[in-house]
Amino acid sequence: MALTEPAPARPAAAADPAAPADAYEGILRRQSLRESAARTYARSLPVVPVRAKGLTIEGADGRRYLDCLSGSGTLALGHNHPVVLEAVRKVLDSGAPLHVLDLATPVKDAFVTELYATLPRELAKDARIQFCGPAGTDAVEAALTLVRTATGRSGLFAFTGAYHGMTAGALDASGGATAARVTRLPFPQDLRCPFGVGGERGAELGARWTETLLDDPKSGVPTPGGMIVEPVQGEGGVLPAPDGWLRRMRQLTAERSIPLVVDEVQTGVGRTGTFWAVERSGIVPDVMVLSKAIGGSLPLAVIVYRAELDVWQPGAHAGTFRGNQLAMAAGAATLAFVRENGLAARAATLGARMLGQLQGLAAEHPCIGDVRGRGLMIGVELVDPTADTGVGPDGRPSGAAVPPPAPTLAVAVQRACLERGLIVELGGRHSAVVRLLPPLTISDEQAAAVLDRFADALAAAERAVPRRR
Ligand code: PMP
């Protein structure tokens, strides 16, 4: 087992961000007293990062962690990659303004050129870009406003388990919402397929339901202003959309002039094994929502869309913070580095190998209900296997086809990972999916260390968490 490496001793200096060990406890205590009850990652990851490089974060307590959360998928190149630092320094040293609203600058021009070079060609050849407020959710809002304005229709098709952000429109489009204007459609999944069949057949049934809603004049669902979909649901539990199903969604929407909005906030920039996740199925969306990795670890969000949708009036979607020059420089450097170094292909190869190794682990651990993912976006769904014996307390078949999710075990695994110096995220409908989102720069040795620590943590958590029966 690879245990947490202690950080090398370093001399104390006034400007050293590393707090002494007792200060570390104080920082965490003050955070829990002063910050809101809505804080999220900070609850399960009591880490006070003071330095970071690549996959590694060093905490104020002197411990080192392998970071497979990567700012929730933001850090395509890991922490403080030299090309990102160099790009940021170049802007700082140039005397360029850091804040410019949405004015044109050489830095922005270079970013847009680099971004367009990566986009599906059919979209890039006649695309418009809108710089949004700096978060992914702002870009989702912009996309929804755009398609509603362009079509004059207010309804929206969105999917079960979706996550698009925390502003009102994005939240409505997400799986936890009950918004009147949003029609919820089944997102394909194998383990918990709503039709009980999974695979191609489950996806086909979902597509047929979508088609029926659109074509049945008495379905009670008016033609929507757009459809929004994640090519791989991230927060929803790492569920890749089957290629054929995505193509069906593209066909159904195209035939009815419904703009298809693809949310690539988390899947973009090589994460899933192609530069953009849509490339795998070959579909060309009408609108792409981009954030996270496109800012090279700094806040940046845009939508890119077909020019014919550009019916906005000046100022129709505005915002003060749309001109972050440092983010554009860091983002352009990141996009170029991923493209030039074939990191999407690397994510595909390494991700497939890691998936295979995790599937091997699943064979030894019945608490792993499913291993899935695409590229370096990987999920391990934990279940309670004792509920899947198919035998009820009276000795008769219980009818439980799929073991229930095990969120308590997932929390224990996350904690055991942290104790072993590994940071992972939890996701999925029931928070029972352990998510791995390592940087695309992770080496083979580091990937092996991640899986070692995970396997060890899983075994420890399994021993510690009592089963239902
Ligand atoms: N869309 C997707 C697919 C996401 O994963 C996220 C964030 N996890 C968002 C939108 C929202 O991005 P942000 O948190 O930057 O608002």
Side-chain angles (χ1 to χ4, degrees):
M1 182 196 76
L3 274 174
T4 311
E5 315 154 42
R10 57 177 58 246
D16 191 332
D22 52 345
Y24 151 80
E25 309 255 315
I27 290 170
L28 286 177
R29 199 182 55 251
R30 284 191 292 282
Q31 181 187 39
S32 70
L33 289 174
R34 298 197 283 215
E35 291 189 26
S36 88
R39 67 193 187 283
T40 45
Y41 305 102
R43 284 179 188 278
S44 47
L45 301 169
V47 177
V48 180
V50 289
R51 254 178 295 273
K53 192 165 176 22
L55 178 67
T56 307
I57 286 183
E58 186 185 318
D61 57 353
R63 297 186 74 211
R64 283 185 173 188
Y65 303 88
L66 302 181
D67 178 13
C68 280
L69 175 52
S70 297
S72 201
T74 301
L75 304 165
L77 305 183
H79 293 274
N80 290 324
H81 192 280
V83 299
V84 169
L85 296 184
E86 191 194 321
V88 169
R89 277 197 197 103
K90 210 167 138 193
V91 175
L92 289 176
D93 293 346
S94 73
L98 297 181
H99 187 284
V100 294
L101 298 166
D102 67 349
L103 303 186
T105 67
V107 173
K108 182 196 255 190
D109 189 55
F111 170 78
V112 175
T113 302
E114 183 56 47
L115 180 67
Y116 273 37
T118 69
L119 290 175
R121 203 164 304 153
E122 201 192 315
L123 179 61
K125 72 178 186 222
D126 195 18
R128 294 290 181 274
I129 184 167
Q130 164 75 10
F131 284 82
C132 304
T137 197
D138 299 305
V140 169
E141 294 294 336
L144 301 185
T145 310
L146 177 82
V147 296
R148 283 174 169 146
T149 306
T151 60
R153 301 189 295 259
S154 62
L156 179 72
F157 275 14
F159 291 89
T160 50
Y163 184 79
H164 299 292
M166 281 281 166
T167 47
L171 209 50
D172 282 353
S174 300
T178 51
R181 285 194 302 176
V182 175
T183 302
R184 190 74 46 197
L185 301 165
F187 190 88
Q189 51 176 321
D190 291 342
L191 188 66
R192 302 189 191 285
C193 172
F195 309 107
V197 288
E200 300 266 319
R201 177 94 185 112
E204 164 57 24
L205 291 172
R208 213 184 276 183
W209 175 243
T210 305
E211 189 170 10
T212 303
L213 285 188
L214 286 166
D215 292 348
D216 176 355
K218 300 284 179 200
S219 69
V221 179
T223 305
M227 172 188 279
I228 183 165
V229 65
E230 293 156 87
V232 181
Q233 283 193 347
E235 309 302 326
V238 194
L239 296 168
D243 296 337
W245 178 85
L246 255 191
R247 286 193 283 267
R248 274 292 293 284
M249 293 304 112
R250 175 65 285 189
Q251 183 198 355
L252 290 176
T253 49
E255 285 170 358
R256 294 157 183 80
S257 301
I258 299 167
L260 178 66
V261 179
V262 173
D263 181 344
E264 289 250 22
V265 167
Q266 193 165 139
T267 50
V269 193
R271 166 73 45 201
T272 67
T274 45
F275 204 99
W276 303 106
V278 287
E279 285 168 39
R280 204 184 122 116
S281 62
I283 67 160
V284 180
D286 300 300
V287 186
M288 284 175 74
V289 185
L290 315 176
S291 187
K292 292 198 194 271
I294 63 158
S297 68
L298 297 175
L300 188 61
V302 302
I303 54 171
V304 183
Y305 52 95
R306 286 187 203 274
E308 70 205 47
L309 292 173
D310 201 29
V311 296
W312 268 342
Q313 295 300 310
H317 196 86
T320 305
F321 289 108
R322 289 180 292 153
N324 188 332
Q325 300 295 287
L326 295 182
M328 289 176 201
T334 300
L335 296 171
F337 192 86
V338 171
R339 183 171 56 79
E340 286 161 8
N341 292 279
L343 292 191
R346 161 76 181 159
T349 316
L350 181 58
R353 195 187 316 150
M354 289 176 79
L355 269 189
Q357 286 162 345
L358 286 166
Q359 270 147 4
L361 197 65
E364 295 160 24
H365 294 269
C367 68
I368 298 184
D370 198 15
V371 173
R372 53 187 183 245
R374 221 166 248 172
L376 288 173
M377 191 166 173
I378 296 172
V380 178
E381 179 158 345
L382 300 178
V383 296
D384 180 356
T386 58
D388 189 36
T389 56
V391 178
D394 59 357
R396 291 191 208 226
S398 67
V402 180
T408 309
L409 178 62
V411 168
V413 170
Q414 187 186 37
R415 195 176 306 129
C417 283
L418 194 68
E419 283 163 11
R420 287 156 181 78
L422 175 64
I423 294 176
V424 296
E425 186 176 14
L426 299 184
R429 270 68 161 177
H430 309 276
S431 300
V433 179
V434 179
R435 303 186 57 206
L436 297 176
L437 290 162
L440 314 184
T441 48
I442 184 174
S443 68
D444 289 350
E445 295 72 27
Q446 287 172 325
V450 165
L451 293 186
D452 262 3
R453 292 180 196 195
F454 176 70
D456 202 51
L458 181 73
E462 226 177 357
R463 284 192 299 272
V465 174
R467 291 183 181 171
R468 216 170 264 185
R469 280 186 282 122

